[in-house]
Amino acid sequence: FTEISGYTAQEAIGRSGRFLVGAELDQPGLDTIRNALRRGQPGIANLRCYKRDGSLFWNEVRIAPAHDEQGQLTHFVSIMSDITERVTQAEALEHMSTHDRLTGLVNRALLDDRIDREIASASRRNANLAVMVIDIDRFMAVNDALGNAAGDVVLRAIGERLSGAVRGEDTLARLGDDEFAVLTGNLRQPDDAMRATAQVLECLGRAFSLEDKELFLTASVGVAIYPKDGRDGDTLLRNARLAMQRIKHSGGNGFRCFSDDMDSRSHHLLTIQTDLRHALLRSEFVLHYQPRIDLLSGKATGAEALVRWQHPTRGLLQPADFIPAAENLRMMDEIGGWVLRRACRQAAKWQRSGDRGWRISVNISAQQLRDGDLARRIGSALNESDLDPSCLEIELTESAVMHDIEQAAAILSEIRALGVSLALDDFGTGYASLSYLHRLPFDYLKIDRSFVMKLDHDPSRASLTLAILAMAHSLGMRTIAEGVETEGELSFLRTHLCDEAQGFLFARPLPADDFVEVARRIEDEQTFGTQPLEGDSTLKPSP
């Protein structure tokens, strides 16, 4: 006793043991001991006690009744143990289980518990509460540029910055990676959440200091309000995340409140994603082919292979209906691989049937390019189909190529070495640097439809198209205009020596069997689609 408490025997003998708890007489453990004494039963309790020097220690007190030979209670025996180390370790483990190890902020488990408590309180008081989900825009670039250790330093700084921006009674949590959440309760009206969100964005907008560097970050914030946007924690967090993803897809650096439209879109996306997992196994994808026309000779030079999804209940779906979902599921390698193999087999079939060697053009996604194994896969598709490499063209978009210029240049050179030609798609819509363009071994440059559309009536579009044509030809590349729909657009492109074109003026994307017939008719017409064949709707310009 004297070693644990610091009191001498003379200072303790004859005193009630209560003197060790000081003024903390309302501890639940004391009631446990009192009840045991009153009933003459054993008891055990953990009490906050104080040593002679005033320092706290945790005291495990056990009491047991003692009886005489007649069974009468005569006194109690009490044993005390210093369990401070055990309690401290338990508290540390409890903290670890409820707090993020890197930032020290509340984690998802404790956040869920606090949301449930706030909802119960708000329900009794008929009040509102808000849940924000905060995602740091393009944080991966910080790790890529500065390393993971520096990224962790920045994440801790973000946590400290956010802690200073929210109210003391609010809960700030880290959900994982660069995603945080704020629970704001006791809102008088939903609009109060907007002020809190603005403070969050403002605090993150200030520069972060990292050694000798200044780092500027932005964030995307989604907000869900109880009870309007959900009546339980899971729903509120899910809806706040949906709102955050919507602002993130719009470019980030802002906030958005949840709406029912987001929920319906989310259900639609989930349904599409579920169906996509089975589409390849069930052979539901098909290829359509859009003719490409040489503007000097009027001959079909080949076709662009375009994937469609023959959905069992929704009919024929266009790429815009399912490609974003496939990218989210990281299925583009599988779908793109199927398109490549099927297109090569179709081109080889046309060759063997006696048609001249039309060049087949296949789009490659950014995911496929970053895989690093693209050249080998293309080589395998050529070997399996026995297709002449000169009959295959690989199309890549600006954004896919410019993501990592050095890696792209190396992979494109490997593909070119196979004898396959390369086309840069959607030129002018991304962020390609002209200083890099000459380093990439492209054979074709495709002029995006946004430039071609109405260029015969729009001087600015005409000027940009002329500049693209001149630049491409100066770099030794052939040019292909996409989305040609009117005679005026075609006339302008032919006058200014664009090499090839495709678009609804000639034909829409067609199944393989229809493609052969339409391509031959276009060649026979020798009119570049100026007079659609009677009864052939595929040759009519779009409305």
Side-chain angles (χ1 to χ4, degrees), residues 292-349:
R292 288 205 336 214
I293 309 301
D294 184 291
L295 295 188
L296 180 62
S297 67
K299 300 291 185 182
T301 62
E304 180 178 359
L306 299 165
V307 66
R308 303 288 188 262
W309 182 6
Q310 189 63 57
H311 194 279
T313 59
R314 301 179 61 209
L316 191 67
L317 300 183
Q318 301 295 314
D321 296 323
F322 62 88
I323 291 299
E327 290 174 339
N328 286 339
L329 291 174
R330 303 195 66 79
M331 288 183 62
M332 288 308 300
D333 271 352
E334 297 173 80
I335 296 175
W338 178 87
V339 170
L340 176 65
R341 294 189 298 273
R342 178 59 60 91
C344 286
R345 287 200 296 269
Q346 182 60 62
K349 181 180 178 181

Side-chain angles (χ1 to χ4, degrees), residues 266-316:
S266 175
H267 283 297
H268 170 72
L269 180 62
L270 180 61
T271 301
I272 288 291
Q273 289 179 339
T274 301
D275 293 347
L276 267 175
R277 296 186 186 278
H278 304 291
L280 279 170
L281 295 176
R282 296 171 179 168
S283 301
E284 293 173 357
F285 291 113
V286 296
L287 288 186
H288 285 186
Y289 302 88
Q290 186 169 39
R292 288 205 336 214
I293 309 301
D294 184 291
L295 295 188
L296 180 62
S297 67
K299 300 291 185 182
T301 62
E304 180 178 359
L306 299 165
V307 66
R308 303 288 188 262
W309 182 6
Q310 189 63 57
H311 194 279
T313 59
R314 301 179 61 209
L316 191 67

Side-chain angles (χ1 to χ4, degrees), residues 129-330:
L129 66 87
V131 173
M132 298 180 218
V133 171
I134 304 161
D135 189 89
I136 308 303
D137 296 330
R138 294 172 288 279
F139 189 79
M140 187 63 69
V142 176
N143 284 332
D144 291 344
L146 304 177
N148 289 334
D152 287 347
V153 172
V154 175
L155 285 172
R156 283 192 289 268
I158 290 171
E160 294 171 2
R161 186 80 63 83
L162 288 172
S163 296
V166 300
R167 303 178 307 178
E169 63 266 33
D170 294 342
T171 295
L172 172 63
R174 183 184 179 216
L175 302 181
D177 295 331
D178 58 346
E179 191 173 80
F180 299 81
V182 176
L183 168 63
T184 299
N186 196 27
L187 299 177
R188 287 174 296 179
Q189 52 188 3
D191 287 348
D192 290 343
M194 302 305 101
R195 287 189 285 274
T197 305
Q199 289 177 335
V200 164
L201 289 170
E202 188 277 330
C203 85
L204 292 177
R206 301 193 301 270
F208 289 84
S209 295
L210 188 64
E211 296 178 352
D212 59 341
K213 302 180 181 67
E214 275 197 334
L215 187 65
F216 288 91
L217 299 173
T218 61
S220 300
V221 182
V223 184
I225 305 293
Y226 170 88
K228 178 176 69 72
D229 301 326
R231 293 181 173 272
D232 61 82
D234 283 344
T235 301
L236 288 170
L237 277 168
R238 178 176 65 86
N239 290 343
R241 185 173 281 111
L242 283 174
M244 176 273 290
Q245 290 169 348
R246 182 64 62 87
I247 193 67
K248 199 170 189 69
H249 291 159
S250 300
N253 192 23
F255 71 88
R256 185 161 294 183
C257 295
F258 173 78
S259 67
D260 291 335
D261 173 63
M262 295 176 189
D263 197 32
S264 62
R265 285 174 177 266
S266 175
H267 283 297
H268 170 72
L269 180 62
L270 180 61
T271 301
I272 288 291
Q273 289 179 339
T274 301
D275 293 347
L276 267 175
R277 296 186 186 278
H278 304 291
L280 279 170
L281 295 176
R282 296 171 179 168
S283 301
E284 293 173 357
F285 291 113
V286 296
L287 288 186
H288 285 186
Y289 302 88
Q290 186 169 39
R292 288 205 336 214
I293 309 301
D294 184 291
L295 295 188
L296 180 62
S297 67
K299 300 291 185 182
T301 62
E304 180 178 359
L306 299 165
V307 66
R308 303 288 188 262
W309 182 6
Q310 189 63 57
H311 194 279
T313 59
R314 301 179 61 209
L316 191 67
L317 300 183
Q318 301 295 314
D321 296 323
F322 62 88
I323 291 299
E327 290 174 339
N328 286 339
L329 291 174
R330 303 195 66 79

